[in-house]
Amino acid sequence: MVFWVFGYGSLVWNPGFEYDEKMIGYIKNYRRVFDLACIDHRGTPEHPARTCTLEYKEGAICWGAVYCVRGGEEKERLAMAYIENRECEYDQKTAVDFFKDGETNNPTLSGVIVFTSTPDKESNKYYLGPAPLEDMARQIATAFGPCGNNRDYIFLLEKALFDIGHEDDMIIELANEVRKVLRITGLGILKDKSSSRLTGPSLKPKSPMSPRKLRHLPEAISMDV
């Protein structure tokens, strides 16, 4: 027995479960959107965070990391139970094809599990839907929960995608808008003494990268959330 799961959000930099193999690559016809509420990790029921989910879009690609768990029924059960608990706001498991760097026609893997959410506010209580960039940035800049600040989530996602060699223009734009909100409000942000810029890199959107330009990420170390 074996299963593969694709991570496109926090699983990219912090899988949190024991796995046997990891690959960097992409899935087709999906893109990231910050349309999902998180009320138990980086937000609360009163002030939900905005986190990443996938939206179907013909022709789009979404880069991330795929993890393999093999070695017995109990090991797989524990890993899946952990992921399902962590991804509790996602109400769907979708089977997708996964492509490695340089592959466009024949998938490396088929039947890869990816956690997604129903884009309907009536049937999915966690679905927030789209919002203006400024509104999303204000929500992300101010939300926090037991696992930390919402803003840390998007900054870590931005860095993780940079590290694997594929920056997501939407993530960069939203992260920079969050930085703008924090700069204006001064919400616990340390500033570089030599300038008025926030500490940490502020990345500018680039044109979409060819899959052939992907840089492989060194093997990750599993960490607890």
Side-chain angles (χ1 to χ4, degrees):
M1 297 292 291
V2 60
F3 75 78
W4 292 84
V5 61
F6 180 75
Y8 56 89
S10 61
L11 290 178
V12 177
W13 76 85
N14 180 23
F17 58 92
E18 184 180 352
Y19 61 89
D20 297 284
E21 188 176 349
K22 173 183 178 181
M23 290 187 287
I24 302 302
Y26 63 93
I27 62 174
K28 294 182 176 181
N29 300 321
Y30 286 96
R31 66 178 182 181
R32 291 179 186 84
V33 289
F34 264 71
D35 292 351
L36 194 67
C38 176
I39 63 172
D40 57 356
H41 287 78
R42 296 184 181 272
T44 64
E46 296 76 22
H47 301 286
R50 270 190 181 263
T51 52
C52 192
T53 185
L54 292 180
E55 177 182 78
Y56 183 84
K57 182 175 176 59
E58 188 74 29
I61 62 172
C62 177
W63 289 86
V66 70
Y67 300 93
C68 173
V69 178
R70 64 169 71 92
E73 183 177 339
E74 180 64 11
K75 182 179 177 181
E76 294 174 29
R77 185 189 67 79
L78 290 173
M80 183 55 70
Y82 167 81
I83 299 169
E84 288 176 341
N85 180 67
R86 174 169 162 173
E87 308 293 286
C88 60
E89 283 94 0
Y90 299 81
D91 64 339
Q92 294 181 331
K93 292 192 194 95
T94 303
V96 296
D97 291 334
F98 172 84
F99 298 82
K100 286 203 309 183
D101 181 19
E103 297 175 346
T104 57
N105 296 319
N106 298 318
T108 306
L109 299 166
S110 294
V112 173
I113 299 168
V114 62
F115 283 76
T116 59
S117 54
T118 304
D120 182 85
K121 293 182 179 180
E122 292 188 4
S123 62
N124 182 2
K125 65 180 181 179
Y126 296 112
Y127 182 68
L128 297 173
L133 182 69
E134 297 81 2
D135 293 348
M136 290 195 294
R138 281 192 294 270
Q139 185 173 355
I140 292 169
T142 56
F144 63 90
C147 293
N149 296 317
N150 196 182
R151 59 181 180 260
D152 292 340
Y153 176 91
I154 192 168
F155 294 153
L156 287 168
L157 177 57
E158 180 188 39
K159 181 181 184 301
L161 296 176
F162 178 82
D163 288 344
I164 68 172
H166 182 75
E167 300 96 321
D168 186 318
D169 286 354
M170 185 278 290
I171 299 298
I172 294 172
E173 183 180 24
L174 182 54
N176 284 337
E177 189 67 26
V178 172
R179 291 185 178 96
K180 185 188 298 182
V181 172
L182 294 171
R183 188 180 295 115
I184 293 171
T185 60
L187 290 174
I189 299 302
L190 297 176
K191 295 187 178 182
D192 189 305
K193 293 181 180 179
S194 62
S195 73
S196 60
R197 293 185 61 189
L198 297 177
T199 57
S202 179
L203 304 177
K204 295 182 179 179
K206 295 181 179 179
S207 58
M209 294 178 63
S210 164
R212 295 183 181 276
K213 294 184 179 179
L214 180 68
R215 300 193 302 272
H216 287 277
L217 184 70
E219 189 68 20
I221 300 174
S222 295
M223 298 180 293
D224 293 333
V225 175

